[in-house]
Amino acid sequence: MRTTTPLRRALITVTATAAVVLTATGSAVAVPVSGTAAAPHATAHSLSALHPVVELAAERLATADLVAAAKWGTDSPIDDPAREQQVLDNVAAQAQQLGADPDEIREIFRDQIEANKIVQRGLFQRWTDHPDEAPTTKPDLSVVRQEINRVTSALVEALATTADDRGAVTCRPGLLLAALQVHHEDHLDALHTRALARALRSVCGS
């Protein structure tokens, strides 16, 4: 029986998402086999534990659309080293207060920042190629950054809470499953899927 077009597209999307996330989070993932008693439970636990991390990373990534719209047609550059350094310093300080590793959190947020810029650059290119799709209104960047700060703070807390899960051998398969679930829940397009994979690159410590 031939696979229907919608199902084929769904399978292709899931496979592509898995490939992108695997590439970003590690070269290979050993998913536990069904005959192993303890490993599937550990993977399921990692999935539930890491889902908030992936969900918040995707939520933070969604603000890139608003940032891009605010900067479009202005002289505001996508790269903003001063702002980026401020974010990194703030998350490191918050991590230290929570008893998390500041250097680890800083590295993870370097990925968040780069992922955000992937979306901004992708949208700029799309709007350049298709001016009719360009935004006609500009969000207030200061208001958008308040939302970014809120999600950033929540993400640091989630990362601090899941330190043990992120250091476990089950982190990468758990992260992959959580990413696929969030991809499905948020209906991410190719651009945001690629950016999410970039955002998750350093989440697993092992």
Side-chain angles (χ1 to χ4, degrees):
M1 182 178 69
R2 295 184 62 185
T3 307
T4 61
T5 299
L7 179 56
R8 287 180 62 196
R9 287 176 180 169
L11 290 172
I12 290 170
T13 299
V14 169
T15 303
T17 305
V20 170
V21 175
L22 286 173
T23 300
T25 58
S27 58
V29 174
V31 179
V33 296
S34 57
T36 306
H41 173 75
T43 302
H45 175 70
S46 294
L47 170 60
S48 61
L50 295 173
H51 186 272
V53 171
V54 179
E55 191 173 39
L56 285 165
E59 186 177 347
R60 192 179 190 280
L61 200 57
T63 64
D65 296 56
L66 298 174
V67 174
K71 292 181 177 180
W72 176 252
T74 73
D75 58 359
S76 297
I78 290 176
D79 291 281
D80 188 348
R83 166 69 179 172
E84 293 168 19
Q85 188 60 51
Q86 183 182 36
V87 170
L88 294 175
D89 290 344
N90 288 343
V91 297
Q94 185 183 355
Q96 196 160 24
Q97 290 176 350
L98 295 172
D101 184 341
D103 292 333
E104 180 185 46
I105 300 301
R106 189 190 297 269
E107 186 63 28
I108 291 172
F109 270 89
R110 283 195 181 95
D111 291 337
Q112 308 305 307
I113 290 170
E114 290 306 313
N116 192 288
K117 291 192 285 189
I118 285 174
V119 173
Q120 290 186 55
R121 293 189 184 106
L123 290 176
F124 270 36
Q125 186 61 55
R126 181 184 301 172
W127 297 336
T128 298
D129 296 340
H130 305 281
D132 57 307
E133 297 180 12
T136 56
T137 59
K138 292 190 182 302
D140 186 331
L141 192 54
S142 63
V143 174
V144 175
R145 282 177 172 168
Q146 290 177 16
E147 175 64 10
I148 295 174
N149 292 340
R150 181 193 68 78
V151 179
T152 293
S153 180
L155 180 53
V156 173
E157 291 184 16
L159 291 167
T161 302
T162 57
D164 290 341
D165 297 281
R166 293 186 297 101
V169 295
T170 52
C171 179
R172 295 194 190 283
L175 185 66
L176 171 61
L177 292 173
L180 291 173
Q181 186 175 359
V182 170
H183 175 275
H184 173 73
E185 292 168 348
D186 292 357
H187 308 288
L188 299 182
D189 61 12
L191 174 61
H192 290 78
T193 297
R194 181 162 58 92
L196 180 61
R198 181 66 176 86
L200 301 177
R201 180 176 294 181
S202 301
V203 167
C204 292
S206 60

